[in-house]
Structure formats: C-alpha cells, structure tokens
Amino acid sequence: MAGRVFFFLQHATYEPAFQAASMGITAAAMGDEVYVVFAFDALRQLVGGGFGHPQGAREQEECARAEGLGVPPPARMLEEARALGVKLVACDTTVRICGFVPEELERTLDEVLGLASLWRLTQGARTLAL
C-alpha cells in the first residue's frame, strides 16, 4: 500500500543520514511518495556538502564497515533516492534562521515550503524523526 512518508532530520552525520537515505530510497522503490525534511544541522550539512559524513570514532568505524560491505555512502543513496522521486525540502523559516536565502537553495533542495504547507502535506502521512 503506497502512501506518503516524511523523514524529519535535524542532524545528518553518518547514522541519521544513513537511516534517512536507506529508508527513503527503500520507501520510494516500493512506490511511496517520500519527503526528507532538513532542519538546522542537517540543513547546514546538506548545503555544505557534509551530508552523511561520520562524526567521531564510532561513526567512522561504522562507515568503514559499511564500505567493506559494499554499502553506498548516505550522500550517494540520497542522490539515488532523489532520482526515484524523493523530495528534499525545508521550512522557509528554518532556512532563514540557519542564515540561508531560500532562492539560493534551488539546486540543493527540491522545495522550500512554508510551515503551513509542510504541515498540510504531513496529514495522513507516516512521519519519522531521525
């Protein structure tokens, strides 16, 4: 049963980025309409090219084990998920609080939404905060 799924990310170091990217690409491949909502550190990491970079020794070890298993890094999974229709979005106010100009994020994000629009999209959807 296809539906709408939202992944809310406030952090995007290796672990939460891996969870969002791997579940997002899986949900999209199974026919769900998927949105990844970036806020604060996750938004800054995405914009700065640091999405999914390991932080600390544990995440570095996990990243190395995943690489040894042939698991793609979170940033590549996110690109592949986007090719399957996953939408990368952020709230307009959060974008501005983080010091970004919404129009300058057109290539990084698929859409910058007002909070009311984002809220309406979540109605009836499955939501996961990572």
Side-chain angles (χ1 to χ4, degrees):
M1 164 167 58
R4 192 174 317 125
V5 182
F6 280 79
F7 296 96
F8 286 87
L9 280 175
Q10 286 189 9
H11 303 283
T13 62
Y14 183 78
E15 290 176 349
F18 178 86
Q19 284 295 105
S22 64
M23 288 193 301
I25 196 171
T26 300
M30 295 178 75
D32 286 322
E33 179 183 355
V34 180
Y35 293 82
V36 180
V37 183
F38 289 85
F40 301 108
D41 282 342
L43 180 60
R44 287 186 286 271
Q45 289 167 322
L46 181 69
V47 171
F51 180 81
H53 289 186
Q55 182 177 6
R58 184 185 71 235
E59 283 194 344
Q60 289 175 355
E61 291 170 4
E62 292 167 342
C63 184
R65 281 195 293 273
E67 188 176 294
L69 294 169
V71 176
R76 187 164 32 149
M77 281 193 283
L78 192 64
E79 287 175 23
E80 293 172 7
R82 231 174 155 183
L84 291 174
V86 170
K87 300 291 185 214
L88 310 185
V89 302
C91 168
D92 178 76
T93 303
T94 303
V95 165
R96 293 173 192 279
I97 289 171
C98 288
F100 300 117
V101 176
E103 297 77 23
E104 293 175 359
L105 300 181
E106 289 178 357
R107 290 188 176 170
T108 304
L109 296 172
D110 294 301
E111 198 166 357
V112 175
L113 302 165
L115 190 54
S117 297
L118 187 57
W119 182 253
R120 283 217 164 87
L121 279 172
T122 65
Q123 290 178 345
R126 288 174 281 173
T127 61
L128 295 109
L130 302 168

